[in-house]
Amino acid sequence: MGAVELPGDLITIFMMEWLGRRHTTVFSLIFSGVAAISIIFLRMNDTVLLLCFAVAGRFFITMAINVGQQYIIEILPTAGRAQGSAAIHTVGLGMAFVSPYIVYLSKFKQWYPYLIFGLIS
């Protein structure tokens, strides 16, 4: 999963220049949600296909995070940048705190975490 970070970062730069910030955000969020939700409909025996969708979802989430961090710098005014940045980081840390519990839901149904992460993104 860590191998998609650098390509995701580099492609985000080019996509933001080519499509703009708004369209890059929308497409990366939609594709990450579709990748996460589509895992629900796959058989658990198709490990290669599951891995491909999981890596694709992680790739697009990386792109969405990068564009979100760029929005802080470019859109928020200087006076509100610190408060906006703090609010965004607080939500991110909250999700980092909750995510192990969401992943633990796979003990009940294998597809619960993918559904929740897909709907959130």
mmCIF file of all heavy atoms in Angstrom, residues 68-105:
data_model
loop_
_atom_site.group_PDB
_atom_site.id
_atom_site.type_symbol
_atom_site.label_atom_id
_atom_site.label_comp_id
_atom_site.label_asym_id
_atom_site.label_seq_id
_atom_site.Cartn_x
_atom_site.Cartn_y
_atom_site.Cartn_z
ATOM 1 N N GLY A 68 -6.877 18.051 -0.934
ATOM 2 C CA GLY A 68 -7.465 18.683 0.244
ATOM 3 C C GLY A 68 -6.468 19.527 0.999
ATOM 4 O O GLY A 68 -6.803 20.621 1.485
ATOM 5 N N GLN A 69 -5.236 19.076 1.087
ATOM 6 C CA GLN A 69 -4.219 19.875 1.750
ATOM 7 C C GLN A 69 -3.832 21.096 0.924
ATOM 8 O O GLN A 69 -3.458 22.127 1.462
ATOM 9 C CB GLN A 69 -2.990 19.020 2.049
ATOM 10 C CG GLN A 69 -3.259 17.997 3.114
ATOM 11 C CD GLN A 69 -2.090 17.067 3.345
ATOM 12 O OE1 GLN A 69 -1.151 17.014 2.568
ATOM 13 N NE2 GLN A 69 -2.150 16.311 4.432
ATOM 14 N N GLN A 70 -3.945 20.995 -0.388
ATOM 15 C CA GLN A 70 -3.661 22.142 -1.247
ATOM 16 C C GLN A 70 -4.752 23.196 -1.119
ATOM 17 O O GLN A 70 -4.478 24.388 -1.201
ATOM 18 C CB GLN A 70 -3.542 21.672 -2.698
ATOM 19 C CG GLN A 70 -3.048 22.722 -3.631
ATOM 20 C CD GLN A 70 -1.597 23.061 -3.411
ATOM 21 O OE1 GLN A 70 -0.828 22.255 -2.921
ATOM 22 N NE2 GLN A 70 -1.224 24.272 -3.753
ATOM 23 N N TYR A 71 -5.986 22.763 -0.912
ATOM 24 C CA TYR A 71 -7.088 23.702 -0.724
ATOM 25 C C TYR A 71 -6.859 24.603 0.487
ATOM 26 O O TYR A 71 -7.222 25.769 0.479
ATOM 27 C CB TYR A 71 -8.413 22.959 -0.530
ATOM 28 C CG TYR A 71 -9.186 22.752 -1.802
ATOM 29 C CD1 TYR A 71 -9.502 21.476 -2.242
ATOM 30 C CD2 TYR A 71 -9.631 23.814 -2.557
ATOM 31 C CE1 TYR A 71 -10.215 21.264 -3.398
ATOM 32 C CE2 TYR A 71 -10.344 23.630 -3.716
ATOM 33 C CZ TYR A 71 -10.633 22.358 -4.127
ATOM 34 O OH TYR A 71 -11.328 22.157 -5.270
ATOM 35 N N ILE A 72 -6.280 24.062 1.540
ATOM 36 C CA ILE A 72 -6.022 24.852 2.739
ATOM 37 C C ILE A 72 -5.152 26.049 2.407
ATOM 38 O O ILE A 72 -5.422 27.177 2.814
ATOM 39 C CB ILE A 72 -5.335 23.990 3.821
ATOM 40 C CG1 ILE A 72 -6.236 22.862 4.271
ATOM 41 C CG2 ILE A 72 -4.921 24.842 5.006
ATOM 42 C CD1 ILE A 72 -5.530 21.853 5.148
ATOM 43 N N ILE A 73 -4.124 25.802 1.637
ATOM 44 C CA ILE A 73 -3.164 26.854 1.322
ATOM 45 C C ILE A 73 -3.751 27.875 0.364
ATOM 46 O O ILE A 73 -3.540 29.083 0.516
ATOM 47 C CB ILE A 73 -1.887 26.226 0.731
ATOM 48 C CG1 ILE A 73 -1.235 25.320 1.758
ATOM 49 C CG2 ILE A 73 -0.923 27.285 0.254
ATOM 50 C CD1 ILE A 73 -0.165 24.438 1.195
ATOM 51 N N GLU A 74 -4.498 27.435 -0.621
ATOM 52 C CA GLU A 74 -4.922 28.331 -1.684
ATOM 53 C C GLU A 74 -6.248 29.040 -1.439
ATOM 54 O O GLU A 74 -6.433 30.167 -1.874
ATOM 55 C CB GLU A 74 -5.016 27.554 -2.997
ATOM 56 C CG GLU A 74 -3.676 27.084 -3.487
ATOM 57 C CD GLU A 74 -3.786 26.352 -4.804
ATOM 58 O OE1 GLU A 74 -4.914 26.151 -5.283
ATOM 59 O OE2 GLU A 74 -2.736 25.998 -5.345
ATOM 60 N N ILE A 75 -7.169 28.394 -0.787
ATOM 61 C CA ILE A 75 -8.523 28.945 -0.722
ATOM 62 C C ILE A 75 -8.810 29.669 0.587
ATOM 63 O O ILE A 75 -9.432 30.723 0.586
ATOM 64 C CB ILE A 75 -9.553 27.830 -0.974
ATOM 65 C CG1 ILE A 75 -9.417 27.378 -2.410
ATOM 66 C CG2 ILE A 75 -10.951 28.294 -0.679
ATOM 67 C CD1 ILE A 75 -10.341 26.296 -2.822
ATOM 68 N N LEU A 76 -8.368 29.106 1.690
ATOM 69 C CA LEU A 76 -8.677 29.749 2.969
ATOM 70 C C LEU A 76 -7.902 31.055 3.103
ATOM 71 O O LEU A 76 -6.723 31.124 2.779
ATOM 72 C CB LEU A 76 -8.318 28.816 4.129
ATOM 73 C CG LEU A 76 -9.120 27.527 4.233
ATOM 74 C CD1 LEU A 76 -8.594 26.675 5.368
ATOM 75 C CD2 LEU A 76 -10.581 27.827 4.441
ATOM 76 N N PRO A 77 -8.556 32.108 3.556
ATOM 77 C CA PRO A 77 -7.832 33.370 3.753
ATOM 78 C C PRO A 77 -6.800 33.231 4.865
ATOM 79 O O PRO A 77 -6.888 32.346 5.716
ATOM 80 C CB PRO A 77 -8.929 34.363 4.134
ATOM 81 C CG PRO A 77 -10.074 33.542 4.571
ATOM 82 C CD PRO A 77 -9.959 32.216 3.891
ATOM 83 N N THR A 78 -5.845 34.136 4.859
ATOM 84 C CA THR A 78 -4.741 34.049 5.811
ATOM 85 C C THR A 78 -5.234 34.052 7.251
ATOM 86 O O THR A 78 -4.737 33.304 8.090
ATOM 87 C CB THR A 78 -3.766 35.225 5.596
ATOM 88 O OG1 THR A 78 -3.334 35.193 4.230
ATOM 89 C CG2 THR A 78 -2.568 35.108 6.503
ATOM 90 N N ALA A 79 -6.219 34.872 7.552
ATOM 91 C CA ALA A 79 -6.725 34.968 8.927
ATOM 92 C C ALA A 79 -7.396 33.670 9.375
ATOM 93 O O ALA A 79 -7.324 33.299 10.541
ATOM 94 C CB ALA A 79 -7.704 36.126 9.040
ATOM 95 N N GLY A 80 -8.040 32.971 8.469
ATOM 96 C CA GLY A 80 -8.751 31.747 8.840
ATOM 97 C C GLY A 80 -8.006 30.476 8.518
ATOM 98 O O GLY A 80 -8.502 29.380 8.758
ATOM 99 N N ARG A 81 -6.807 30.616 7.978
ATOM 100 C CA ARG A 81 -6.055 29.433 7.559
ATOM 101 C C ARG A 81 -5.700 28.529 8.730
ATOM 102 O O ARG A 81 -5.782 27.307 8.632
ATOM 103 C CB ARG A 81 -4.795 29.860 6.820
ATOM 104 C CG ARG A 81 -4.114 28.727 6.121
ATOM 105 C CD ARG A 81 -2.967 29.211 5.259
ATOM 106 N NE ARG A 81 -3.502 30.040 4.188
ATOM 107 C CZ ARG A 81 -2.819 31.004 3.579
ATOM 108 N NH1 ARG A 81 -1.587 31.259 3.957
ATOM 109 N NH2 ARG A 81 -3.365 31.705 2.612
ATOM 110 N N ALA A 82 -5.322 29.115 9.834
ATOM 111 C CA ALA A 82 -4.947 28.300 11.001
ATOM 112 C C ALA A 82 -6.156 27.549 11.555
ATOM 113 O O ALA A 82 -6.062 26.362 11.864
ATOM 114 C CB ALA A 82 -4.335 29.178 12.084
ATOM 115 N N GLN A 83 -7.301 28.222 11.648
ATOM 116 C CA GLN A 83 -8.497 27.555 12.159
ATOM 117 C C GLN A 83 -9.002 26.497 11.177
ATOM 118 O O GLN A 83 -9.416 25.409 11.579
ATOM 119 C CB GLN A 83 -9.598 28.572 12.419
ATOM 120 C CG GLN A 83 -9.302 29.469 13.586
ATOM 121 C CD GLN A 83 -10.395 30.506 13.780
ATOM 122 O OE1 GLN A 83 -11.228 30.717 12.892
ATOM 123 N NE2 GLN A 83 -10.393 31.159 14.917
ATOM 124 N N GLY A 84 -8.965 26.807 9.886
ATOM 125 C CA GLY A 84 -9.394 25.837 8.886
ATOM 126 C C GLY A 84 -8.485 24.626 8.852
ATOM 127 O O GLY A 84 -8.937 23.483 8.760
ATOM 128 N N SER A 85 -7.186 24.876 8.927
ATOM 129 C CA SER A 85 -6.223 23.782 8.952
ATOM 130 C C SER A 85 -6.408 22.924 10.201
ATOM 131 O O SER A 85 -6.347 21.694 10.135
ATOM 132 C CB SER A 85 -4.806 24.337 8.899
ATOM 133 O OG SER A 85 -3.860 23.319 8.987
ATOM 134 N N ALA A 86 -6.653 23.563 11.333
ATOM 135 C CA ALA A 86 -6.869 22.818 12.574
ATOM 136 C C ALA A 86 -8.136 21.968 12.487
ATOM 137 O O ALA A 86 -8.153 20.818 12.937
ATOM 138 C CB ALA A 86 -6.955 23.771 13.755
ATOM 139 N N ALA A 87 -9.204 22.526 11.896
ATOM 140 C CA ALA A 87 -10.453 21.774 11.762
ATOM 141 C C ALA A 87 -10.263 20.560 10.847
ATOM 142 O O ALA A 87 -10.729 19.453 11.151
ATOM 143 C CB ALA A 87 -11.555 22.676 11.225
ATOM 144 N N ILE A 88 -9.550 20.749 9.745
ATOM 145 C CA ILE A 88 -9.323 19.656 8.811
ATOM 146 C C ILE A 88 -8.469 18.569 9.451
ATOM 147 O O ILE A 88 -8.749 17.374 9.328
ATOM 148 C CB ILE A 88 -8.684 20.189 7.512
ATOM 149 C CG1 ILE A 88 -9.712 21.030 6.753
ATOM 150 C CG2 ILE A 88 -8.156 19.062 6.644
ATOM 151 C CD1 ILE A 88 -9.133 21.819 5.606
ATOM 152 N N HIS A 89 -7.433 18.967 10.185
ATOM 153 C CA HIS A 89 -6.580 17.982 10.831
ATOM 154 C C HIS A 89 -7.301 17.273 11.981
ATOM 155 O O HIS A 89 -7.058 16.096 12.247
ATOM 156 C CB HIS A 89 -5.292 18.625 11.320
ATOM 157 C CG HIS A 89 -4.316 18.867 10.215
ATOM 158 N ND1 HIS A 89 -4.243 20.064 9.563
ATOM 159 C CD2 HIS A 89 -3.413 18.052 9.626
ATOM 160 C CE1 HIS A 89 -3.320 19.986 8.630
ATOM 161 N NE2 HIS A 89 -2.803 18.771 8.641
ATOM 162 N N THR A 90 -8.192 17.970 12.648
ATOM 163 C CA THR A 90 -8.956 17.340 13.722
ATOM 164 C C THR A 90 -9.864 16.244 13.169
ATOM 165 O O THR A 90 -9.951 15.153 13.741
ATOM 166 C CB THR A 90 -9.784 18.389 14.480
ATOM 167 O OG1 THR A 90 -8.895 19.370 15.022
ATOM 168 C CG2 THR A 90 -10.597 17.760 15.587
ATOM 169 N N VAL A 91 -10.525 16.532 12.062
ATOM 170 C CA VAL A 91 -11.371 15.510 11.433
ATOM 171 C C VAL A 91 -10.517 14.333 10.964
ATOM 172 O O VAL A 91 -10.894 13.171 11.128
ATOM 173 C CB VAL A 91 -12.178 16.129 10.265
ATOM 174 C CG1 VAL A 91 -12.881 15.051 9.462
ATOM 175 C CG2 VAL A 91 -13.180 17.131 10.789
ATOM 176 N N GLY A 92 -9.346 14.619 10.387
ATOM 177 C CA GLY A 92 -8.454 13.549 9.946
ATOM 178 C C GLY A 92 -7.975 12.683 11.097
ATOM 179 O O GLY A 92 -7.936 11.454 10.992
ATOM 180 N N LEU A 93 -7.621 13.314 12.210
ATOM 181 C CA LEU A 93 -7.187 12.538 13.377
ATOM 182 C C LEU A 93 -8.345 11.753 13.984
ATOM 183 O O LEU A 93 -8.144 10.642 14.481
ATOM 184 C CB LEU A 93 -6.571 13.464 14.427
ATOM 185 C CG LEU A 93 -5.204 14.038 14.065
ATOM 186 C CD1 LEU A 93 -4.767 15.065 15.098
ATOM 187 C CD2 LEU A 93 -4.183 12.931 13.959
ATOM 188 N N GLY A 94 -9.530 12.321 13.933
ATOM 189 C CA GLY A 94 -10.706 11.587 14.409
ATOM 190 C C GLY A 94 -10.946 10.334 13.579
ATOM 191 O O GLY A 94 -11.242 9.261 14.119
ATOM 192 N N MET A 95 -10.801 10.457 12.270
ATOM 193 C CA MET A 95 -10.968 9.280 11.409
ATOM 194 C C MET A 95 -9.844 8.275 11.638
ATOM 195 O O MET A 95 -10.071 7.067 11.573
ATOM 196 C CB MET A 95 -11.019 9.696 9.938
ATOM 197 C CG MET A 95 -12.326 10.330 9.546
ATOM 198 S SD MET A 95 -13.763 9.313 9.948
ATOM 199 C CE MET A 95 -13.447 7.859 9.002
ATOM 200 N N ALA A 96 -8.634 8.765 11.889
ATOM 201 C CA ALA A 96 -7.534 7.847 12.190
ATOM 202 C C ALA A 96 -7.794 7.096 13.491
ATOM 203 O O ALA A 96 -7.413 5.939 13.641
ATOM 204 C CB ALA A 96 -6.217 8.615 12.279
ATOM 205 N N PHE A 97 -8.462 7.749 14.433
ATOM 206 C CA PHE A 97 -8.810 7.095 15.696
ATOM 207 C C PHE A 97 -9.904 6.052 15.501
ATOM 208 O O PHE A 97 -9.866 4.971 16.089
ATOM 209 C CB PHE A 97 -9.255 8.149 16.717
ATOM 210 C CG PHE A 97 -9.694 7.572 18.022
ATOM 211 C CD1 PHE A 97 -8.768 7.086 18.931
ATOM 212 C CD2 PHE A 97 -11.043 7.496 18.351
ATOM 213 C CE1 PHE A 97 -9.174 6.547 20.140
ATOM 214 C CE2 PHE A 97 -11.455 6.961 19.542
ATOM 215 C CZ PHE A 97 -10.519 6.478 20.443
ATOM 216 N N VAL A 98 -10.888 6.350 14.667
ATOM 217 C CA VAL A 98 -12.047 5.481 14.479
ATOM 218 C C VAL A 98 -11.761 4.341 13.504
ATOM 219 O O VAL A 98 -12.379 3.277 13.587
ATOM 220 C CB VAL A 98 -13.254 6.328 14.009
ATOM 221 C CG1 VAL A 98 -14.444 5.469 13.652
ATOM 222 C CG2 VAL A 98 -13.642 7.322 15.070
ATOM 223 N N SER A 99 -10.808 4.523 12.592
ATOM 224 C CA SER A 99 -10.607 3.544 11.526
ATOM 225 C C SER A 99 -10.283 2.124 12.016
ATOM 226 O O SER A 99 -10.759 1.163 11.400
ATOM 227 C CB SER A 99 -9.537 4.036 10.553
ATOM 228 O OG SER A 99 -8.300 4.177 11.190
ATOM 229 N N PRO A 100 -9.513 1.907 13.092
ATOM 230 C CA PRO A 100 -9.319 0.517 13.531
ATOM 231 C C PRO A 100 -10.618 -0.158 13.955
ATOM 232 O O PRO A 100 -10.793 -1.359 13.734
ATOM 233 C CB PRO A 100 -8.355 0.636 14.718
ATOM 234 C CG PRO A 100 -7.663 1.927 14.535
ATOM 235 C CD PRO A 100 -8.642 2.818 13.847
ATOM 236 N N TYR A 101 -11.526 0.607 14.528
ATOM 237 C CA TYR A 101 -12.810 0.027 14.927
ATOM 238 C C TYR A 101 -13.660 -0.312 13.707
ATOM 239 O O TYR A 101 -14.395 -1.302 13.705
ATOM 240 C CB TYR A 101 -13.554 0.986 15.852
ATOM 241 C CG TYR A 101 -12.788 1.256 17.127
ATOM 242 C CD1 TYR A 101 -12.200 2.494 17.349
ATOM 243 C CD2 TYR A 101 -12.629 0.275 18.091
ATOM 244 C CE1 TYR A 101 -11.482 2.743 18.504
ATOM 245 C CE2 TYR A 101 -11.915 0.500 19.246
ATOM 246 C CZ TYR A 101 -11.350 1.741 19.453
ATOM 247 O OH TYR A 101 -10.625 1.977 20.586
ATOM 248 N N ILE A 102 -13.554 0.512 12.674
ATOM 249 C CA ILE A 102 -14.282 0.215 11.446
ATOM 250 C C ILE A 102 -13.710 -1.037 10.794
ATOM 251 O O ILE A 102 -14.446 -1.900 10.327
ATOM 252 C CB ILE A 102 -14.238 1.425 10.490
ATOM 253 C CG1 ILE A 102 -14.990 2.609 11.101
ATOM 254 C CG2 ILE A 102 -14.830 1.071 9.143
ATOM 255 C CD1 ILE A 102 -14.873 3.894 10.334
ATOM 256 N N VAL A 103 -12.400 -1.153 10.776
ATOM 257 C CA VAL A 103 -11.769 -2.343 10.199
ATOM 258 C C VAL A 103 -12.138 -3.582 11.010
ATOM 259 O O VAL A 103 -12.328 -4.669 10.453
ATOM 260 C CB VAL A 103 -10.233 -2.147 10.120
ATOM 261 C CG1 VAL A 103 -9.541 -3.430 9.723
ATOM 262 C CG2 VAL A 103 -9.899 -1.028 9.156
ATOM 263 N N TYR A 104 -12.275 -3.449 12.317
ATOM 264 C CA TYR A 104 -12.640 -4.582 13.170
ATOM 265 C C TYR A 104 -14.038 -5.112 12.840
ATOM 266 O O TYR A 104 -14.338 -6.269 13.130
ATOM 267 C CB TYR A 104 -12.567 -4.177 14.641
ATOM 268 C CG TYR A 104 -12.895 -5.299 15.588
ATOM 269 C CD1 TYR A 104 -12.001 -6.351 15.781
ATOM 270 C CD2 TYR A 104 -14.098 -5.319 16.279
ATOM 271 C CE1 TYR A 104 -12.299 -7.381 16.639
ATOM 272 C CE2 TYR A 104 -14.406 -6.352 17.139
ATOM 273 C CZ TYR A 104 -13.504 -7.384 17.318
ATOM 274 O OH TYR A 104 -13.808 -8.402 18.161
ATOM 275 N N LEU A 105 -14.877 -4.301 12.222
ATOM 276 C CA LEU A 105 -16.209 -4.766 11.838
ATOM 277 C C LEU A 105 -16.157 -5.917 10.842
ATOM 278 O O LEU A 105 -17.159 -6.598 10.644
ATOM 279 C CB LEU A 105 -17.023 -3.607 11.259
ATOM 280 C CG LEU A 105 -17.485 -2.549 12.241
ATOM 281 C CD1 LEU A 105 -18.164 -1.408 11.500
ATOM 282 C CD2 LEU A 105 -18.426 -3.144 13.272
#
